[in-house]
Amino acid sequence: MKINKIMTSVSAIALSSAATGAAVAQEVETPDAGKYTLSFEGAFGNLDNAPADKWGENDEPDGQDKFGAKSLSYAGAISLKRDLGQNRDVTFGLSFAGNPSNIQNFASSSGFIDSGGSGYNYASSLTNDLSFGAMDVEMGLTRNLSVGDVRFFGGVRGLAMNTSSDLSTDLSADFSADKTGVGIDAGGFLSFDVNVYSSFVGVGPRAGMGFSTGPKAAGFGLSASVAAAALFGQRKNVSNLEIYASGGSGGPLSESVADSQTEFQTVMNVDGKLSVDYYFSEQAKASLGYQARQFWNVDYWSDEETNNGKPRLVDGIFIGFSTSF
């Protein structure tokens, strides 16, 4: 399935849902019909370092766990909900996430190879980048309970994600003397760079539920939601290996190897969040909470067929604001 066909399908579903929602709204005459709710969210947190367990296998770099720490990430979302009456609604949403360009220096050392004075310097670093954009179209049904409102929803999600991981290693040495003490005045430099890039574009059904208490003590309340999606589309994996060596009697050496594969894949996605809400009025509230998004099989590193593959996770603290009109 081509990318443009996937995005065309998502757009068609969105237009169809909008038309259906408008038709139902005209037929149902209730006080809530036609009311809109606009919501914004911004988040700052962590992107898991998925490649870490793969590059080094069982190595433990000094002071870090599997090439260390999670990368900082950002996320955002905007949604527009239209009430159709009888506790029903249609919602359109856009969300995105990514992480700033990062370089994690996970290993470095320098010293002498032997007492004859042969010195060396070694350094290695890892980058771990991820970005995605998602579009949701969903229909919701709310049930009013004594403890709060429960909303069930279902629809379709379109997702585009790119991930890139790069391992760079440099080794330089100055063999000023051999073990016999005879000067050989030779130097050497070796570097290799391994890059794995993945892209996925797909669309599929998404369903979930949410809960909100509404304003309670001093205008505060609680809300939570969880949703799952199965996305079908094309995933492309591209790997590149570059090696450069110079010095010694062999002279300079440079090699480059590349491989590319495109396959149909099914990606599973789960989203969840929990927040404390403050209601300025019945029409406006601010939220502060925690959210997490997890993806299975979305790139090379999260593929179950990859050695020690694990899902990609973007999580962190978010703030939000919503208003009804």
Side-chain angles (χ1 to χ4, degrees):
M1 182 182 294
K2 301 294 185 181
I3 292 177
N4 59 344
K5 290 184 178 180
I6 295 175
M7 299 313 296
T8 300
S9 300
V10 174
S11 300
I13 294 172
L15 293 174
S16 177
S17 298
T20 302
V24 174
Q26 292 178 355
E27 295 175 0
V28 179
E29 296 295 337
T30 68
D32 290 334
K35 185 177 73 173
Y36 291 88
T37 300
L38 182 63
S39 301
F40 301 90
E41 290 181 4
F44 184 78
N46 295 311
L47 162 67
D48 78 311
N49 200 359
D53 292 331
K54 321 301 183 306
W55 291 125
E57 296 298 335
N58 296 321
D59 294 340
E60 293 284 351
D62 294 339
Q64 299 190 46
D65 176 20
K66 302 293 186 183
F67 301 169
K70 296 182 178 181
S71 304
L72 296 178
S73 69
Y74 61 84
I78 180 173
S79 66
L80 179 64
K81 181 178 75 172
R82 187 177 192 275
D83 289 333
L84 304 178
Q86 296 183 346
N87 293 326
R88 293 178 294 113
D89 65 80
V90 59
T91 301
F92 303 89
L94 295 173
S95 58
F96 63 89
N99 66 305
S101 180
N102 66 93
I103 299 178
Q104 299 174 14
N105 298 308
F106 64 83
S108 63
S109 63
S110 61
F112 293 95
I113 297 177
D114 55 54
S115 58
S118 302
Y120 73 93
N121 290 285
Y122 168 79
S124 197
S125 63
L126 174 74
T127 63
N128 179 39
D129 298 319
L130 177 149
S131 62
F132 77 80
M135 183 178 75
D136 299 311
V137 182
E138 63 191 35
M139 301 292 291
L141 177 64
T142 302
R143 290 288 181 252
N144 305 117
L145 306 178
S146 59
V147 294
D149 297 334
V150 178
R151 177 176 178 264
F152 302 92
F153 58 89
V156 65
R157 162 166 284 189
L159 174 72
M161 177 178 286
N162 294 319
T163 68
S164 178
S165 301
D166 185 89
L167 174 67
S168 298
T169 300
D170 297 325
L171 172 64
S172 60
D174 180 14
F175 300 95
S176 59
D178 60 17
K179 292 183 178 181
T180 64
V182 178
I184 58 177
D185 193 22
F189 181 82
L190 171 66
S191 70
F192 69 87
D193 184 272
V194 184
N195 175 268
V196 178
Y197 168 82
S198 295
S199 63
F200 174 82
V201 176
V203 63
R206 180 174 182 264
M209 63 177 297
F211 173 77
S212 175
T213 64
K216 297 296 183 181
F220 287 93
L222 296 174
S223 61
S225 66
V226 62
L231 307 169
F232 309 96
Q234 294 277 10
R235 194 187 75 196
K236 182 178 182 180
N237 294 328
V238 180
S239 60
N240 296 283
L241 169 63
E242 295 184 359
I243 302 175
Y244 177 79
S246 65
S249 59
L253 170 66
S254 180
E255 291 188 4
S256 179
V257 180
D259 180 64
S260 177
Q261 294 182 343
T262 301
E263 297 178 330
F264 179 85
Q265 298 287 346
T266 300
V267 170
M268 303 303 296
N269 166 222
V270 172
D271 300 335
K273 62 182 179 180
L274 173 67
S275 68
V276 176
D277 307 318
Y278 177 74
Y279 289 80
F280 301 101
S281 65
E282 293 183 358
Q283 289 75 37
K285 70 174 182 178
S287 302
L288 174 64
Y290 168 82
Q291 65 176 4
R293 299 181 176 95
Q294 189 152 296
F295 302 87
W296 287 262
N297 203 38
V298 76
D299 64 351
Y300 173 81
W301 300 114
S302 59
D303 194 324
E304 294 181 353
E305 297 182 359
T306 301
N307 186 30
N308 296 324
K310 67 176 184 179
R312 303 306 301 261
L313 173 68
V314 181
D315 66 334
I317 301 299
F318 79 92
I319 57 174
F321 177 79
S322 64
T323 181
S324 300
F325 52 92

